[in-house]
Amino acid sequence: MSFHPKMAYGATFHKSSRALEDEGPAFVYTPENRARFDEIVKRYPPDRRRSAVLPALYLAQYQQGYITANAIRHVAELLGITRADVEDVVSFYTMFYTRPMGTFVLQVCRTLSCAINGAECVTEALVEKLGITPGETDPTGTFTLLEVECLGACDRAPVVMVNDAWHESLKPEDAGTLIDDLRARGDAALSGCHHVVERKS
Amino acid sequence: MDPILTKYVREPNSFTLDFYLQHAGYDALKLALTKKPDEIIEMVKASGLRGRGGAGFPTGMKWQFVDKKIEPRYIACNADESEPGTFKDHLLMERNPHLLIEGCAIGCYAIGAKVAYIYIRGEFIHVQHVLERAIDEAYARGFLGKNILGSGFDCDVYVHRGAGAYEAGEETALLESLEGKRAQPRNKPPFPALVGLYNKPTAVNNVETLCNVPLIVSKGPEWYAALGPEKNGGPKLYCVSGHVKRPGVYEASMKITLRELIEGHAGGVRDGHTLKAVIPGGSSVPILLPDQLDTQASFDGIQKAGSLLGSAAIVVLDETTCMVWLAENLLHFYRHESCGKCTPCREGTDWLHQILHRIERGEGQMQDIDLLQSVAGNIAGKTLCAFGDAAATPVLTTLKHFRHEYEAHVKEGKCTLPAPWRARHPVGAH
């Protein structure tokens, strides 16, 4: 039935045009990740499983590259909280990605100590080299460029974080070399780039 | 003063348990377990140890306030270290992780907690690996776990990884994050010492603070207090960065002056440049000028000079730094990191950034300068946590000392100090 005198039900107005969010591919933890999850949950009191939401989301992100609605559902079910609780957390913390990212996520620190040591020029060099602006992923899906706030290694400025590895004291003229190196050697280019103890000239 | 906390950081194996044990490691824990918990708290109180995270609150008092009638109790170690310019805990955890673990264990013993959570910032993943390996070693040798060293005392230490929120460094926001929620602050009081993690009494202590505890236990509170000026005892780590020749972490007594730190340890400003200003305690404290360099770099000394020691993050700025650009850079940070709970901060930081952005680009008007003052003044002191004051400070302090630079930007319609280290075409400004 219709409540409109001239229009049939479902013809125009009554149809929702709201697009449903993409739920992503089906998601469950791999057996290894499930085992690690079970291990992590034990760190918190039994009635406080929710505390494990950040580590649980990291496991999902390492497994799939980013967090989807299906991953949120899986984490929520395992922790016994609602999907909204998990989504609340995902949308707050910047280190969770809700869209596919490049193989290498380049995060250039843009805050004061890095900026006054040339971080803006590093970003500029990366923009020119990759042909993308901060926030974008290149068409091949290899690199995502991001500008982030203070990474906490201001004595080795400017700092660029590539996935979980830190590249420190990176000069703008070396930014191109870093990209070439990543293209040529892949993950191998990510080891040995962290100074460990601060540089002394 | 010779380094104590960072004495061995340059040794290749400084992070291993064997190395730590060769250098009197865990002796303080053994000694502490022979004393009563209250005695440890009294020792820490007598030492005058003040929190190294920023506020400088006496740690012994904090531990005394922890409600001993309620079980369980917790220690939450704040390893979020996200104040721009700060990187001291980074070094401690990466090169001397057992000192922190020992500090956590002694702290747990003193307040009667059985669990300590180390909340580490998400970006420090390489540091977390070192720390977790060290914790595993400590469990394997009986320095953590059940019945530690036959004393009957149980203690677990876990690392909890954050996910990129500056606000998680605020103590109640840290607890919220640890409970699996957004890192947003709680109303205070009640303070965490009474109602903290899972609504149980909790001591929230910075990494460097806990690293000082083993020293106090093993060498005595009098020795510790005598290391620095009155009420500012013990060794202090300073993070010097910015336009200096040798940026880095320097350990010193708080008797040291800013001049000795900047010109001595850090080698002074780059050749051919002159000092313009110093931020003595992280991005959220007022700026000091070159004529204030002889200020003693202690909590009380810097406060007397009109600023705060904060997390001892000394950012040195030379004459190429445009102060309007500086305020815009920092407000970009605060706008991004505001947790969104309190309206003045959530809305105000965005307003401030927009106004600064247009002045910096030469599109501002004179009245914008007064508008900045008004908006910043309406954030400070009107929020649940100290973030609001922190966000207003860069604007208020640059307006106070460098108002002429703001006026020059408006009059000339462009940035009057375009430094070579800045981008030719600013990208991602918004």
Side-chain angles (χ1 to χ4, degrees), chain A residues 43-44 51 58 88 150 194, chain B residues 94 117 160 162 178 182 198:
Chain A
R43 297 174 185 171
Y44 309 97
S51 278
Y58 273 122
D88 191 42
C150 190
H194 172 50
Chain B
E94 192 172 4
Y117 292 105
H160 185 97
L178 204 45
R182 291 179 162 223
Y198 310 134

Side-chain angles (χ1 to χ4, degrees), chain B residues 225-247:
Chain B
L227 286 177
E230 207 190 340
K231 291 183 181 163
N232 290 272
K236 180 80 196 86
L237 299 189
Y238 294 94
C239 321
V240 189
S241 68
H243 289 141
V244 285
K245 284 188 204 149
R246 289 194 302 274

Side-chain angles (χ1 to χ4, degrees), chain B residues 18-74:
Chain B
D18 287 333
F19 183 95
Y20 192 62
L21 289 174
Q22 280 161 20
H23 296 86
Y26 290 103
D27 283 359
L29 178 61
K30 285 174 197 155
L31 188 61
L33 292 174
T34 64
K35 298 177 187 290
K36 290 201 183 78
D38 285 348
E39 285 178 67
I40 310 283
I41 296 184
E42 284 307 319
M43 283 177 98
V44 174
K45 269 173 79 175
S47 74
L49 169 62
R50 294 170 72 168
R52 299 317 203 214
F57 189 80
T59 306
M61 298 248 284
K62 214 180 216 181
W63 286 4
Q64 194 168 37
F65 291 151
V66 171
D67 192 338
K68 311 290 190 305
K69 293 189 289 296
I70 299 174
E71 294 272 354
R73 300 183 280 277
Y74 295 101

Side-chain angles (χ1 to χ4, degrees), chain A residues 149-160:
Chain A
E149 302 294 349
C150 190
L151 288 173
C154 319
D155 53 339
R156 289 159 259 166
V159 184
V160 178

Side-chain angles (χ1 to χ4, degrees), chain B residues 35-316:
Chain B
K35 298 177 187 290
K36 290 201 183 78
D38 285 348
E39 285 178 67
I40 310 283
I41 296 184
E42 284 307 319
M43 283 177 98
V44 174
K45 269 173 79 175
S47 74
L49 169 62
R50 294 170 72 168
R52 299 317 203 214
F57 189 80
T59 306
M61 298 248 284
K62 214 180 216 181
W63 286 4
Q64 194 168 37
F65 291 151
V66 171
D67 192 338
K68 311 290 190 305
K69 293 189 289 296
I70 299 174
E71 294 272 354
R73 300 183 280 277
Y74 295 101
I75 281 199
C77 171
N78 188 342
D80 194 56
E81 187 158 73
S82 33
E83 180 72 20
T86 317
F87 41 92
K88 59 187 176 60
D89 301 343
H90 183 171
L91 180 71
L92 278 176
M93 290 188 287
E94 192 172 4
R95 303 303 301 174
N96 204 355
H98 284 285
L99 185 63
L100 172 62
I101 296 166
E102 189 175 7
C104 285
I106 298 173
C108 282
Y109 180 70
I111 67 158
K114 289 194 169 51
V115 181
Y117 292 105
I118 300 174
Y119 186 100
I120 192 167
R121 64 176 297 185
E123 292 88 345
F124 283 3
I125 183 71
H126 54 296
V127 184
Q128 189 182 344
H129 291 323
V130 175
L131 195 54
E132 285 180 333
R133 203 178 307 134
I135 289 173
D136 290 344
E137 282 181 317
Y139 270 105
R141 303 280 272 273
F143 296 114
L144 289 177
K146 298 265 178 263
N147 191 17
I148 293 174
L149 306 170
S151 64
F153 165 62
D154 304 338
C155 180
D156 287 313
V157 175
Y158 302 116
V159 181
H160 185 97
R161 185 181 179 194
Y166 168 77
E167 182 57 15
E170 201 276 340
E171 56 176 3
T172 57
L174 183 146
L175 298 175
E176 286 283 301
S177 182
L178 204 45
E179 290 183 7
K181 302 172 202 158
R182 291 179 162 223
Q184 292 184 321
R186 300 173 180 169
N187 208 354
K188 288 190 279 189
F191 288 92
L194 302 177
V195 182
L197 183 63
Y198 310 134
N199 295 331
K200 303 293 182 192
T202 306
V204 185
N205 293 116
N206 174 260
V207 170
E208 191 191 343
T209 313
L210 288 171
C211 286
N212 275 287
V213 172
L215 301 184
I216 297 168
V217 172
S218 58
K219 304 211 174 162
E222 296 79 20
W223 170 86
Y224 184 87
L227 286 177
E230 207 190 340
K231 291 183 181 163
N232 290 272
K236 180 80 196 86
L237 299 189
Y238 294 94
C239 321
V240 189
S241 68
H243 289 141
V244 285
K245 284 188 204 149
R246 289 194 302 274
V249 177
Y250 297 101
E251 183 173 348
S253 153
M254 282 192 263
K255 290 173 186 162
I256 201 167
T257 62
L258 286 174
R259 185 182 301 283
E260 285 163 338
L261 275 167
I262 294 168
E263 294 179 0
H265 288 290
V269 291
R270 304 175 298 167
D271 288 328
H273 293 277
T274 53
L275 182 70
K276 182 169 186 179
V278 176
I279 303 179
S283 66
S284 54
V285 306
I287 281 171
L288 294 180
L289 298 174
D291 60 359
Q292 291 171 297
L293 270 197
D294 292 311
T295 303
Q296 188 185 64
S298 63
F299 288 106
D300 296 330
I302 302 249
Q303 194 160 11
K304 227 176 276 170
S307 186
L308 294 162
L309 183 62
S311 55
I314 299 171
V315 184
V316 179

Side-chain angles (χ1 to χ4, degrees), chain A residues 135-192:
Chain A
E136 290 179 347
T137 302
D138 74 344
T140 62
T142 315
F143 296 101
T144 300
L145 180 61
L146 298 174
E147 277 190 301
V148 295
E149 302 294 349
C150 190
L151 288 173
C154 319
D155 53 339
R156 289 159 259 166
V159 184
V160 178
M161 204 172 153
V162 186
N163 296 352
D164 284 341
W166 289 38
H167 289 256
E168 296 155 353
S169 314
L170 194 76
K171 292 183 176 63
E173 54 270 29
D174 298 335
T177 324
L178 172 66
I179 299 297
D180 292 336
D181 204 23
L182 285 167
R183 278 201 179 116
R185 297 199 292 142
D187 283 336
L190 295 180
S191 59

Side-chain angles (χ1 to χ4, degrees), chain A:
Chain A
M1 63 163 283
S2 170
F3 295 103
H4 195 278
K6 290 183 184 161
M7 232 176 286
Y9 178 75
T12 338
F13 292 123
H14 299 279
K15 219 180 232 170
S16 169
S17 59
R18 178 170 170 260
L20 289 174
E21 71 181 308
D22 177 22
E23 305 222 323
F27 183 89
V28 282
Y29 281 141
T30 57
E32 301 83 63
N33 279 344
R34 180 57 199 263
R36 286 172 72 189
F37 170 85
D38 291 336
E39 205 50 47
I40 288 167
V41 164
K42 285 187 203 145
R43 297 174 185 171
Y44 309 97
D47 56 337
R48 301 287 184 172
R49 288 167 66 87
R50 182 177 180 167
S51 278
V53 66
L54 293 183
L57 286 167
Y58 273 122
L59 285 179
Q61 181 155 298
Y62 279 113
Q63 183 175 322
Q64 192 173 240
Y66 67 111
I67 307 281
T68 56
N70 275 333
I72 288 173
R73 189 202 310 269
H74 186 59
V75 168
E77 280 168 4
L78 288 178
L79 291 173
I81 54 180
T82 68
R83 287 165 63 192
D85 290 334
V86 182
E87 207 174 329
D88 191 42
V89 168
V90 172
S91 60
F92 183 83
Y93 295 92
T94 51
M95 289 181 68
F96 296 123
Y97 307 133
T98 49
R99 61 195 163 95
M101 304 299 264
T103 316
F104 299 108
V105 181
L106 305 157
Q107 308 192 60
V108 188
C109 174
R110 63 166 307 285
T111 315
L112 191 58
S113 291
C114 278
I116 65 179
N117 280 295
E120 288 184 2
C121 300
V122 171
T123 308
E124 210 166 52
L126 289 170
V127 165
E128 275 171 28
K129 178 85 184 170
L130 295 170
I132 51 175
T133 56
E136 290 179 347
T137 302
D138 74 344
T140 62
T142 315
F143 296 101
T144 300
L145 180 61
L146 298 174
E147 277 190 301
V148 295
E149 302 294 349
C150 190
L151 288 173
C154 319
D155 53 339
R156 289 159 259 166
V159 184
V160 178
M161 204 172 153
V162 186
N163 296 352
D164 284 341
W166 289 38
H167 289 256
E168 296 155 353
S169 314
L170 194 76
K171 292 183 176 63
E173 54 270 29
D174 298 335
T177 324
L178 172 66
I179 299 297
D180 292 336
D181 204 23
L182 285 167
R183 278 201 179 116
R185 297 199 292 142
D187 283 336
L190 295 180
S191 59
C193 43
H194 172 50
H195 285 306
V196 184
V197 178
E198 75 266 38
R199 169 178 47 95
K200 288 280 170 280
S201 52

